[in-house]
Amino acid sequence: MKLRKVTAASATAFVLALTATACGGGGSDSGSGGDKITIGIKFDQPGLGLKTPDGSYTGFDVDVAKYVAKELGYDEADIEWRETPSADRENALERGDVDFIAATYSITDERKEKVDFAGPYLLAHQDLLVRADENVTKGEDLNGKKLCSVAGSTSAQNVKDDFAPKANLQETGTYSECLDGLASGAVDALTTDDSILAGYAAQEQYKGKFKLAGLELSNENYGIGVKKGETELLDDINAALEKMVSEKAWDKAVEDNFGPANYENEPAPKIGDIVQ
């Protein structure tokens, strides 16, 4: 895989080549311009991976991906963003559609059989989003309440199975529908990863209306997925993630994307430290 644009050695060689050309005349332009890197993200998750109406991309995953790409030698203009829905992430890597994926991609033993993971770069938890004036301190508080999540999600079923068997589970096509229901009072809580919930709650139209319950119902270790066997790329991404943390760029990305939701994030995880 050709994931390199400018290293110290290649930059020196390029300067020498330019000098030789200037002195001797002739020669072709062999610069590295034009190289691209394709990164898989979500397009529909505010605060994490969102394609905006003007065609730009925002979110924590996007900021992490940009930083990693920069450390790999790619400018932001060299990035080709590719939407990678959850169900297609492994296939996208196997087909070579993307070079790596940063898309709320939880590291699991089952997934590690198909892809390799750098990171983790964020420890999230399944949680509940409730109205700001609601007092929910444990999963059992949802018994008799209306709990919303997207159709096919395991999050809501986990709450119903493990914490609140008498919750009234309502499934919708999108999280936005759940948010509308939460705002109107039609539902009492929305459940998925706390990072995703924080991203939605941080949107301008929802600021101050919702809050995270802070229940930590599960551990979700977000990693960057790469094609199985891409060891060198994996090492380079891990080095980039460590640098992002040490330079405090990770903290800035958290504040920029989740700050308005008062998201009490976990500290940046250590590479390879998977919390069960």
Side-chain angles (χ1 to χ4, degrees), residues 138-162:
K138 56 187 184 299
E140 289 84 349
D141 291 342
L142 289 176
N143 279 315
K145 300 288 185 69
K146 296 175 182 177
L147 175 65
C148 189
S149 195
V150 297
S153 167
T154 59
S155 298
Q157 197 60 50
N158 288 343
V159 172
K160 188 170 176 62
D161 291 345
D162 299 335

Side-chain angles (χ1 to χ4, degrees), residues 200-210 260-261:
Y200 279 110
Q203 293 181 93
E204 189 64 36
Q205 67 268 37
Y206 297 129
K207 286 181 181 178
K209 294 184 178 180
F210 305 134

Side-chain angles (χ1 to χ4, degrees), residues 93-161:
L93 287 168
E94 180 61 31
R95 291 192 304 260
D97 294 346
V98 294
D99 294 310
F100 67 79
I101 292 175
T104 60
Y105 205 176
S106 295
I107 301 171
T108 67
D109 290 338
E110 181 181 4
R111 287 171 178 164
K112 285 194 291 185
E113 293 178 0
K114 301 176 182 178
V115 303
D116 287 334
F117 284 100
Y121 63 89
L122 183 72
L123 174 60
H125 306 282
Q126 183 183 341
D127 200 358
L128 303 173
L129 191 69
V130 297
R131 286 181 290 278
D133 59 354
E134 290 288 338
N135 185 28
V136 177
T137 60
K138 56 187 184 299
E140 289 84 349
D141 291 342
L142 289 176
N143 279 315
K145 300 288 185 69
K146 296 175 182 177
L147 175 65
C148 189
S149 195
V150 297
S153 167
T154 59
S155 298
Q157 197 60 50
N158 288 343
V159 172
K160 188 170 176 62
D161 291 345

